[in-house]
Amino acid sequence: MSVLDSKVPEGPIKDKWTNHKNNIDVVNPANKRLIDVIVVGTGLAGGSAAASLAEMGYNVKAFCYQDSPRRAHSIAAQGGINAAKNYQNDGDSTYRLFYDTVKGGDYRSREANVYRLAEVSANIIDQCVAQGVPFARDYGGLLDNRSFGGVLVSRTFYAKGQTGQQLLLGAYSAMNRQINKGKIRMFNRHEMMDLVKVDGKARGIIARNLVTGEIERHSAHAVVIATGGYGNVFFLSTNAMGSNVSAAWKIHKKGAFFANPCYTQIHPTCIPRSGDDQAKLTLMSESLRNDGRIWVPAIKEDAIAIREGKKKAIDLPEKDRDYYLERRYPAFGNLVPRDVASRAAKERCDAGFGVNNTGEAVYLDFSAAIQRYGKTEASINGLDTEDKSLVIKLGTAVIESKYGNLFQMYEKITDENPYVLPMKIYPAVHYTMGGVWVDYNLMTTVEGCYAAGEANFSEHGANRLGASALMQGLADGYFVLPYTIGNYLAKEIRTGEIPTDLPEFAEAEAAVKKQIDFFINNNGTKTVDHFHRRLGKVMWDKVGMSRNTKGLNEAIVEIKQIREEFYKDVRVLGTSDSLNPELEKAGRVADFLELGELFAKDALDRNESCGGHFREESVEVGGEQDGEALRDDVNYRYVAAWEYKGEPSDAVLHKEALEFNDIELKQRSYK
Ligand SMILES: Cc1cc2nc3c(=O)[nH]c(=O)nc-3n(C[C@H](O)[C@H](O)[C@H](O)COP(=O)(O)OP(=O)(O)OC[C@H]3O[C@@H](n4cnc5c(N)ncnc54)[C@H](O)[C@@H]3O)c2cc1C
C-alpha cells in the first residue's frame, strides 16, 4: 500500500469540497490569536494566504527575498486568470473548466483537487474585483474575457498584459492592511535557509537577513511554503532571475516528498535566444495567440533565404506559408495547448523551416487580425472598408489597445516593429507543474508544513493550461488553505508559543552557517553562473522538450559531475555579513544541482509521453494521431512522489495512483 494518503474526501465530486469544509475543525477567534503561522513567499499564493490567515486572526510572519512583496515573480504574469463565470454565455461551467484542466494536464492530475479549483475560480474574480483589481471591461462595462490555449470558450479575465501585477497589487493591499494592524510581520529581504522540525512537526525556519547577513530563528505552529517554481534549473527561462527551488528543496530534505519533478512547461511563444551570453528569456503572452497566426515558410528554400537575410516574411504570399497549427489541429488551430504548440514549433524548426539566424524561430503574425479589426472598425464608423491604409491604421489601433505593452516590449528587445513584421518566437522553459507533494488539504508529508501556488505539484497534471497558474495560486491562498489549515491548527491551541532555543533550531542554524562558511572560504576558480549555465545546457539538451533513455542516463551522470566540480571549484566573492548576491546564488544553484538530477531520474522513470513530458520512445504510430505523444495509462497513471534519501540517485519513488471517476480517460486530441 502507498504511504501517500491524498485525504480526498468521500462523496460525489461536486459535494466533496462543500462537505469537507463543513466538517473542518474551526479555531475560535480568541484561540487564533494564540497561533503563529509562517508564510514563506509573498507572491500571489503566499501573499493571498498571508492576508487571509491574518484577516482570520492568526499571527502571520511572512518572508520574501525581494525588498517588497510587490516584486514577487507573480508580477510578471501577463495574459490573464481563468474563472468559470460564463460571462460570454458560451457554455462555460464548473464542469467544463474542470474537464479542460484535467484533459489539458493529460490526465495526470488529481480529479478532486481540479474540481475544487474550478469551483472556487469564480470567487477569485469577485474577491479581486472587490479589492479594486482593474480587470479589462467590455463596451457595456462588464468584465471582458479572452481565450487561452486548450479551451473552446472565453474564460480568461485580464488586465491588459499586466494581469499578475494588478492581482499582486490587490493581494499586497490586503496584506498591507494586516501589516498595519500588526497581524502580519513582514520580513522583506529575508531568505528561508532551512525548515526546523520538532517532534516530526514543522515548527519554524532558519532565515538569513540578506542585507546584514544575520542568521535568524523564527518559530510558528505551522509553516506554509509558497516560494514559486523551479524553471530556472534550466538557467535560461522566462522566470524571474531570483526564482529558485531552495525552500521547496530544503523541506524535501526534511521529509517532504517531491512530486513529478520532470513535469515542466515549455511555453511556445517566447522571444528566441539570441546568443550564448544571454541570462534571461522573455515571454510573449499566450493571449497573443488569440489574434496572432503561427507559421513558417512552406518551402525550405524560402526559409533558407529568410535566414540569410535575402527575403522577409512579408515577401511570402499566402500560398507559400505553412500555418502548421491550423493545418495539423483544425479544431483548436493556434489555440492548441502549450505542449502541443511547442513541440510543433520544434518539429518545423528541426525540419529546417526555422526563420531566424539560429534556425530556432517561427512567425507569430498579426496582419490578418489587423485587417479583420480594421475592416470592422471602418464599418462601425461608416468609413471606406476598401481603403487599405485606413484599414491598417484602424486595425493597428485595436491591436495596440489589446496588446500594446507586449508589442512595445517585443520591439524594445528585438528592435523590430511587430505591427509591420511578424514576431519571431520559439519555445522556452516557463513553468513547473511538478513540486512539493501535498494532500487535499495542501499539507506536505511533513506534518504542519504546507505548500501553495507553483511550489506545490498542483492541479495541472503534466501540462498547465494558460491562465491557470494565477487561478491556482489565488485559490490556494484565498480559498483553500485558510480553511484546510484549521484542521491542523485546531489541535495546536494548547501548544503555546514555540521557543527558538530548542536544540532543533540550534542544529539547523549550525548547518546553515556551515554551508555559508564553506562557500565563502572555498576559493575555487569558477563563478556560480559558470556551473548554473552548464547545468542548464544539460537540462535543455537532454531533459528539455523531448527526452530519451540515452540522453536521460547521460544527463544523470553529467549533472552529478557538475555538482562535484561545483563543490570543488566554486568561488564566491564577498563576505557573509553583508548583502552578497553571489552567496545567495551559490546556495540556490547548489539545490538546483540536486534537483536537476532527480528531475532527470523522474523523466527516465516515466517511460510514457504525457503533457510537457515527451519521451521519444512513446509516440503514436499511424492513424490520425501519427507522431503525437503516447500516454500509457496502464503503467503510469500515478503521481511520482520522491522521498529524499541523501544523494538524488538514492531517492525512493512512492506512487499515488490517480483515480478518474468523473472524466473518461481519452487520447488527448486537439484535431
Ligand atoms: C513571464 C511569465 C508570465 C506568466 N503569465 C501568466 C499568466 O498570464 N497567467 C497565469 O495564470 N500564469 C502566468 N504565469 C505563471 C505565474 O505567474 C506563476 O506560476 C505564479 O505567479 C507563481 O506564483 P507563486 O505565488 O506561486 O510564486 P512567485 O510569484 O514566484 O512568488 C515566490 C515568492 O517566494 C519568495 N521566495 C522564494 N524563495 C524564497 C526563500 N527561500 N525565502 C524567502 N522567500 C522566498 C519570493 O520572494 C516570492 O515572494 C506566468 C509566468 C511567467 C514566467
Side-chain angles (χ1 to χ4, degrees), residues 17 21 43-53 55-56 81 120-121 123-133 166-175 442 452-453 470-484:
W17 178 230
K21 273 193 299 182
L44 282 175
S48 56
S52 307
L53 292 168
E55 188 77 44
M56 291 164 79
I81 174 166
V120 305
S121 66
N123 302 356
I124 299 171
I125 303 303
D126 298 342
Q127 166 92 359
C128 296
V129 168
Q131 288 170 346
V133 171
Q166 299 304 332
L167 293 171
L168 193 59
L169 286 170
Y172 178 63
S173 329
M175 276 185 81
L442 305 186
L470 302 184
M471 170 173 71
Q472 180 235 330
L474 290 181
D476 286 359
Y478 283 134
F479 296 108
V480 179
L481 193 65
Y483 289 101
T484 57

Side-chain angles (χ1 to χ4, degrees), residues 41-42 44-45 65-66 73-74 77-80 192 430-431 454 467 469-470:
T42 51
L44 282 175
Y65 61 73
Q66 290 93 348
H73 160 65
S74 290
Q78 301 170 349
M192 168 183 157
H430 177 64
Y431 180 89
E454 194 175 337
L470 302 184

Side-chain angles (χ1 to χ4, degrees), residues 39-48 63-66 68-69 71-82 146 148 156 161 163-164 167-168 186-187 190-193 205 207 210 226-229 237-240 242-248 250 265 267 280-287 338 429-432 452-456 464-474 588:
V39 179
V40 187
T42 51
L44 282 175
S48 56
F63 293 79
C64 74
Y65 61 73
Q66 290 93 348
S68 159
R71 277 186 243 289
H73 160 65
S74 290
I75 202 173
Q78 301 170 349
I81 174 166
N82 288 331
R146 53 190 177 199
F148 265 45
T156 305
T163 315
L167 293 171
L168 193 59
M186 186 64 226
F187 294 87
H190 274 68
E191 177 153 353
M192 168 183 157
M193 306 298 286
I205 63 168
L210 298 179
T227 46
S237 88
T238 64
N239 289 7
S243 294
N244 68 89
V245 75
S246 288
K250 298 300 189 218
Q265 178 155 85
H267 198 298
K280 174 89 186 76
L281 294 173
T282 307
L283 173 79
M284 288 284 102
S285 167
E286 176 157 313
S287 58
R338 294 173 177 179
V429 172
H430 177 64
Y431 180 89
T432 42
E454 194 175 337
N456 71 26
R464 172 175 73 79
L465 292 181
S468 286
L470 302 184
M471 170 173 71
Q472 180 235 330
L474 290 181
R588 295 172 192 165

Side-chain angles (χ1 to χ4, degrees), residues 162-406:
Q162 308 163 347
T163 315
Q165 179 177 6
Q166 299 304 332
L167 293 171
L168 193 59
L169 286 170
Y172 178 63
S173 329
M175 276 185 81
N176 255 337
R177 183 177 132 80
Q178 297 303 326
I179 292 172
N180 263 345
K181 289 166 82 179
K183 290 303 289 179
I184 296 183
R185 281 180 68 200
M186 186 64 226
F187 294 87
N188 296 325
R189 287 227 169 266
H190 274 68
E191 177 153 353
M192 168 183 157
M193 306 298 286
D194 207 354
L195 178 76
V196 180
K197 269 168 71 177
V198 180
D199 296 332
K201 293 181 175 176
R203 288 305 197 194
I205 63 168
I206 304 297
R208 178 166 181 267
N209 178 327
L210 298 179
V211 179
T212 64
E214 203 175 325
I215 304 298
E216 302 170 2
R217 303 176 184 186
H218 295 274
S219 68
H221 298 89
V223 175
V224 178
I225 301 295
T227 46
Y230 52 85
N232 280 348
V233 67
F234 285 83
F235 186 69
L236 284 179
S237 88
T238 64
N239 289 7
M241 296 292 284
S243 294
N244 68 89
V245 75
S246 288
W249 198 251
K250 298 300 189 218
I251 67 168
H252 173 54
K253 287 174 127 173
K254 289 271 166 98
F257 291 2
F258 208 100
N260 303 327
C262 79
Y263 287 172
T264 313
Q265 178 155 85
I266 315 265
H267 198 298
T269 58
C270 303
I271 298 182
R273 204 171 58 91
S274 62
D276 287 341
D277 295 326
Q278 204 163 336
K280 174 89 186 76
L281 294 173
T282 307
L283 173 79
M284 288 284 102
S285 167
E286 176 157 313
S287 58
L288 295 171
R289 285 202 273 147
N290 273 268
D291 284 313
R293 295 178 72 196
I294 296 179
W295 63 276
V296 290
I299 304 162
K300 211 176 264 182
E301 286 66 35
D302 282 338
I304 295 168
I306 287 174
R307 287 204 291 273
E308 290 174 348
K310 294 180 187 151
K311 274 190 180 174
K312 285 202 160 79
I314 43 177
D315 297 332
L316 264 55
E318 279 297 305
K319 70 173 182 42
D320 292 340
R321 300 175 177 199
D322 176 15
Y323 295 93
Y324 57 88
L325 289 178
E326 297 170 30
R327 168 171 60 78
R328 285 179 64 180
Y329 307 100
F332 282 69
N334 293 295
L335 283 173
V336 288
R338 294 173 177 179
D339 56 332
V340 177
S342 292
R343 277 198 292 279
K346 182 175 185 311
E347 187 278 327
R348 283 295 75 194
C349 291
D350 288 353
F353 294 89
V355 293
N356 71 349
N357 52 353
T358 65
E360 291 190 338
V362 300
Y363 288 128
L364 178 62
D365 191 340
F366 292 84
S367 53
I370 288 174
Q371 286 288 334
R372 193 176 69 244
Y373 286 126
K375 288 207 164 178
T376 308
E377 285 298 299
S379 172
I380 289 169
N381 292 297
L383 301 170
D384 181 3
T385 54
E386 297 307 315
D387 181 337
K388 282 188 184 153
S389 61
L390 175 72
V391 164
I392 289 178
K393 188 171 155 219
L394 294 172
T396 300
V398 174
I399 291 289
E400 189 180 0
S401 72
K402 291 180 129 190
Y403 314 109
N405 66 318
L406 301 173

